């Protein structure tokens, strides 16, 4: 396989002068719509779309070749569920490709492809078939006979050059944008001199596509019509795995040396029989499917982790987590492998792929650690989930669906991907109640979105009424000890480790009354003697998670929200089974959500300090809200925050992140805390003792006499949960800043990967704006070209306004775009006036000294037509003018102006209405000027009506 890849790159680089580019990372840069890079052309989109900056390195390329890492799992292109069921689907694959950007086209592209396949790779010509675009009458596109003739000249027999319709041989980037016909090369695995033309594009495993050559020569507009591209491009893609299968004379990708070393390593590490390549019913116990799943998924995990995508809880990270968990389950349940098999395969994957990506070798240890940590966490959840499913199935009535509430608990609390739940149930011949599950998912989405209707029922069980509080105190129920919420440490690899917490149920609360017992299926508030859950306070969202009863590991009680009331922490819980006072429970916080809140809360402190540092000590906090997704911060300000100030604030925060300051936290008496010089937010109601959070300076140092530490770093009173070191934050980007009312501003910021993505997207948009700006400076004498530029500026303006990018950059780009819009509008008006003047001169010569001019004239828009009318009336003040302009669409534009001498008897609005009504259209305006439109069928009658109307009024 290494030789096959090298031969491809060398062929185009040395024989045909292509510039060899390295593979882009599988994490897309500046394209938030993509989870992963899923095709070779992703990194070249700016060239195809014409948005590439003319002075950028990318814009200099004319011929390019590379081997691109691609992942298709999640999103539009998703092969995850098919992997393992057959012998050719993969989540990760390599795409070999060559590109021409306005250089060569069909003749050279086909010739190079044929030369490589038949002369370099020596594939027998009688095994190859080619397809071309057969045309589409609805789009007005004829067959791509140019491409067909190229193949015939190269010696391909006519019986093997086959036309196919739009769905097979016309490639489109999206609903709009560059597109064009393509030609595909197919390979017949059987051969033997037969003619397999009838099997091409029929889904036969014997005849497969190996190479697709796309000829980008059109652009699909918003209206759906196709326009020729000013520059023609070639984009080709050939899957390395499928090509190697052909060249190594195999029928399955998994039988090539891209996979056999991994399959051998799997066999050595598990108790299952050796891989035999079986599929479907022949694959008893799905052992062979498991081999393929694990071999494919470990490659994907290695490549993604190397490129900075780690298993996580949203976007691409969530998809990778699903991939890892799918692989772990097949390892443990089907292959009967001991824990650690998946990570043990990493060195083998590195050996297979190391010639292409040396980074894999450098990160080998880190990749193995990440896989092992995630596997251990999932195996624990898997065992518990299996017991829950088995216990639920035993209690179910025959011929009923699996309850959605239990599935939702597995999905939400144990992190089970839905496909795994379906697979486990499928093995038992049971279906999930999908409709009820989707309803629960919708409710959860509404609740997370903060809808008041979704919030209302939950809050009633977490807000203790005054009578219940008094009853708790008179019954000597102690306040909840919530100090375990601060019990977490940093592990050896920089990961946060949260200590487990065991507690006793002290009281239950439902329907505004304290209860000793709550039945299954009911919502209630649970009061415990101690908890590690963070209750919503200090602007930080409450934790979520679940609790289990000791000795009953297979029953999960989801904790949906947590509230502090009078010293009691109330956990909003759905009682899956009867819950009683005295029950012993173990608590499990949703660690990902907690860590995200910790990150954003520490970021809020950094932001508070940075704003005071940049805007002055008078800048006071007016409110904040911290969620797992973002942070919001309100503050006093004398005026709008400038672009430069926003940049400075971000820089101050980034400097503190880079220093990786230790976050010091300690409880001290409130009277002592109040003496700290420069301490923020001391006028709020705080418990005594109070918690001080100090960045980079130990709390003991802050408390010493005459210490000015709080003036030079962030020192705040805070009960929230925080990072232990600032470096874990990675980055902060302010993505919004606006004045709520005069004197109070609100900023919204994101941290970590979201901040980095905001910067990448911002850079991408900045390059697009630069490109438009440069084209605007070059100017154009064509009105349609300037209108297209104007349209592009308008679209960019909308995108810049609505996309999450750094706010300072948004302001800069908006200023540039506003100026560009003015420039474009001025240029269009100037060109329209020039065009109108020429047409007016011609009409004046034709209708010399006439009191009324009625005529037809070609005009691209109503704006130009109106300007022609204005010019005629200016040059001939006593003349009244009505002009019609037929359009290619079948519409007729109408514009008119009446001389002031003819008022009030003669009205332009009435004139236009009479004429447009004749054409089954509409019109409107003033007595002096009016415009409208109608249908071309009535145009001759309209001209007659125009003349008769004018005569009747003059």
């Amino acid at each position: 396989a290494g030789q096959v890849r090298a031969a491809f790159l060398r062929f185009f680089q040395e024989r045909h002068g292509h510039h060899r580019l390295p593979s882009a990372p599988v994490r897309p840069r500046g394209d938030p719509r993509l989870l992963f890079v899923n095709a070779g052309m992703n990194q070249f989109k700016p060239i195809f779309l014409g948005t590439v900056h003319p002075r950028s390195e990318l814009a200099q390329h004319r011929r390019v070749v590379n081997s691109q890492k691609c992942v298709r799992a999640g999103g539009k292109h998703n092969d995850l569920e098919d992997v393992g069921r057959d012998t050719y689907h993969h989540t990760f694959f390599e795409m070999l490709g060559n590109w021409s950007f306005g250089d060569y086209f069909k003749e050279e592209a086909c010739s190079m492809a044929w030369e490589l396949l038949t002369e370099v790779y020596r594939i027998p010509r009688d095994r190859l078939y080619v397809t071309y675009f057969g045309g589409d009458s609805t789009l007005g596109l004829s067959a791509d006979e140019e491409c067909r003739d190229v193949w015939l000249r190269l010696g391909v027999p006519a019986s093997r050059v086959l036309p196919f319709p739009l769905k097979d041989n016309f490639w489109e980037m999206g609903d709009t944008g560059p597109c064009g016909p393509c030609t595909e090369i197919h390979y017949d695995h059987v051969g033997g001199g037969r003619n397999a033309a009838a099997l091409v594009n029929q889904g036969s495993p014997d005849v497969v596509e190996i190479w697709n050559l796309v000829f980008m020569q059109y652009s699909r507009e918003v209206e759906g019509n196709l326009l020729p591209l000013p520059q023609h491009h070639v984009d080709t893609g050939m899957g390395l795995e499928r090509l190697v299968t052909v060249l190594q004379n195999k029928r399955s990708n998994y039988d090539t040396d891209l996979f056999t070393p991994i399959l051998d390593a799997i066999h050595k590490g598990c108790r299952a029989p050796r891989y035999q390549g079986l599929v479907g019913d022949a694959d008893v116990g799905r052992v062979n499917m498991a081999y393929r799943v694990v071999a494919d998924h470990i490659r994907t995990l290695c490549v993604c982790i190397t490129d900075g995508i780690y298993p996580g809880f949203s976007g691409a990270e969530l998809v990778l987590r699903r991939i890892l968990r799918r692989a772990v389950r097949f390892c443990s349940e089907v292959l009967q492998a001991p824990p650690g098999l998946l990570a043990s395969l990493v060195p083998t994957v590195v050996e297979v792929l190391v010639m292409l990506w040396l980074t894999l070798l450098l990160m080998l240890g880190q990749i193995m650690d990440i896989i092992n940590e995630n596997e251990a966490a999932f195996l624990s959840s898997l065992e518990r989930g299996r017991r829950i499913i088995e216990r639920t199935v035993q209690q179910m009535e025959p011929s009923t669906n699996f309850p959605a509430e239990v599935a939702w608990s597995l999905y939400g609390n144990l992190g089970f991907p839905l496909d795994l739940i379906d697979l486990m149930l499928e093995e038992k011949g049971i279906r999930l109640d999908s409709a009820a599950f989707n309803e629960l998912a919708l409710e959860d989405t509404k609740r997370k979105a903060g809808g008041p209707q979704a919030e209302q029922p939950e809050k009633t069980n977490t807000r203790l009424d005054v009578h219940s509080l008094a009853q708790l105190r008179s019954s000597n129920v102690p306040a909840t000890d919530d100090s375990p919420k601060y019990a977490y440490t940093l592990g050896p690899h920089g990961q946060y480790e949260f200590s487990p917490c065991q507690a006793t149920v002290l009281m239950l609360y439902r329907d505004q009354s304290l209860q000793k017992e709550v039945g299954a299926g009911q919502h209630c508030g649970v009061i415990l003697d101690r908890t590690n859950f963070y209750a919503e306070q200090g602007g930080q969202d409450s934790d979520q998670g679940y609790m289990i009863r000791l000795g009953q590991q297979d029953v999960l009680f989801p904790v949906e929200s947590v509230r502090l009331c009078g010293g009691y922490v109330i956990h909003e819980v759905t009682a899956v089974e009867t819950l009683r006072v005295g029950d012993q429970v173990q608590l499990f916080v949703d660690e990902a959500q907690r860590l995200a809140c910790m990150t954003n809360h520490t970021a809020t402190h950094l932001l508070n300090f940075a704003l005071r540092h940049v805007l002055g000590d008078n800048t006071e906090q007016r409110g904040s809200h911290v969620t797992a997704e973002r942070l919001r911060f309100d503050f006093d300000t004398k005026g709008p925050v400038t672009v430069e100030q926003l940049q400075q604030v971000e820089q101050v925060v980034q400097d503190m992140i880079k220093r990786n300051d230790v976050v010091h936290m300690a409880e001290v008496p409130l009277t002592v805390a109040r003496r700290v010089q420069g301490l923020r937010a001391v006028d709020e109601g705080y418990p005594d003792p109070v918690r001080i959070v100090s960045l980079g300076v130990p709390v003991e140092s802050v408390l010493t006499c005459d210490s000015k530490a709080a003036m030079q770093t962030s020192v705040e009173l805070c009960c929230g949960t925080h990072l232990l070191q600032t470096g874990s934050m990675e980055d902060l980007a302010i993505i919004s800043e606006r004045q709520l009312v005069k004197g109070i501003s609100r900023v919204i910021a994101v941290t970590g990967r979201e901040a980095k993505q905001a910067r990448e997207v911002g850079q991408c948009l900045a390059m697009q704006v630069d490109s438009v700006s440069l084209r605007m400076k070059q100017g154009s004498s064509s009105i349609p070209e300037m209108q297209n530029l104007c349209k592009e500026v308008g679209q960019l303006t909308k995108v810049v306004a609505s996309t999450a990018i750094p706010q300072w950059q948004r302001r800069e780009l908006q200023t540039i775009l506003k100026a560009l819009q003015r420039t474009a509008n001025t240029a269009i008006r100037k060109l329209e006036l020039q065009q109108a003047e020429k047409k007016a001169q011609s009409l004046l010569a034709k209708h010399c000294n006439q009191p009324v001019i009625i005529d037809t004239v070609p005009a691209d828009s109503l704006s130009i037509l109106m300007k022609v009318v204005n010019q005629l009336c200016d040059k001939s003040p006593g003349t009244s003018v009505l002009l019609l302009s037929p359009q290619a669409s079948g519409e007729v534009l109408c514009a008119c102006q009446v001389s002031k001498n003819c008022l009030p008897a003669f009205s332009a609005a009435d004139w236009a209405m009479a004429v447009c009504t004749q054409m089954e259209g509409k019109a409107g305006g003033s007595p002096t000027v009016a415009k409208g439109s109608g249908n071309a069928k009535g145009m001759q009658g309209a001209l007659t009506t125009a003349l008769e109307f004018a005569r009747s009024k003059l």
Side-chain angles (χ1 to χ4, degrees), residues 787 832 835 839 854-869 881-896 911-913 915-917 919 921-924 930-939 942-943 946:
Q787 285 172 333
E832 285 181 347
Q835 201 176 100
K839 293 179 189 295
I854 297 169
D855 209 335
T856 61
V857 64
D860 291 334
S861 67
L862 193 54
S863 172
I864 295 172
L865 189 64
M866 200 72 240
K867 285 182 174 67
V868 177
V869 170
V881 180
L882 184 142
L883 299 179
L884 299 181
S885 179
Q887 304 294 298
S889 62
E891 186 185 30
V892 176
L893 304 178
C894 170
C896 65
W911 198 13
M913 180 60 76
V915 170
C916 291
T917 302
M919 298 188 292
K922 294 179 180 178
K931 56 189 175 183
S933 64
N935 196 302
K937 291 177 185 174
M939 190 172 77
L943 289 168

Side-chain angles (χ1 to χ4, degrees), residues 464 472 477-482 484 501-509 524-533 546-549 557 559 562-564 567-573 579-588:
L464 290 172
L472 284 169
V477 175
T480 312
D481 172 19
D482 64 351
C501 181
Q502 192 173 312
T504 303
V505 177
L506 298 182
M507 193 60 71
L508 300 165
Y509 184 70
C524 66
V526 180
I527 300 172
L528 305 169
D529 62 337
R530 61 201 306 270
T531 183
N532 59 347
F533 276 71
Y546 63 96
M547 58 177 74
I548 59 171
R549 200 185 274 122
F557 296 86
V559 177
V562 188
R563 185 174 289 273
L564 184 66
Y568 298 101
V569 175
I570 302 98
H571 306 73
E572 175 80 9
V573 165
L579 198 57
R580 299 178 179 87
V581 168
D583 281 351
Q584 301 287 302
V585 293
Q586 193 161 5
L587 306 174
F588 296 87

Side-chain angles (χ1 to χ4, degrees), residues 26-43:
V26 292
R27 179 188 285 282
R29 290 182 61 83
D31 193 343
R33 292 166 294 185
L34 275 183
L35 289 173
F36 302 96
V37 165
N38 56 26
M41 55 71 64
N42 289 161
Q43 66 176 311

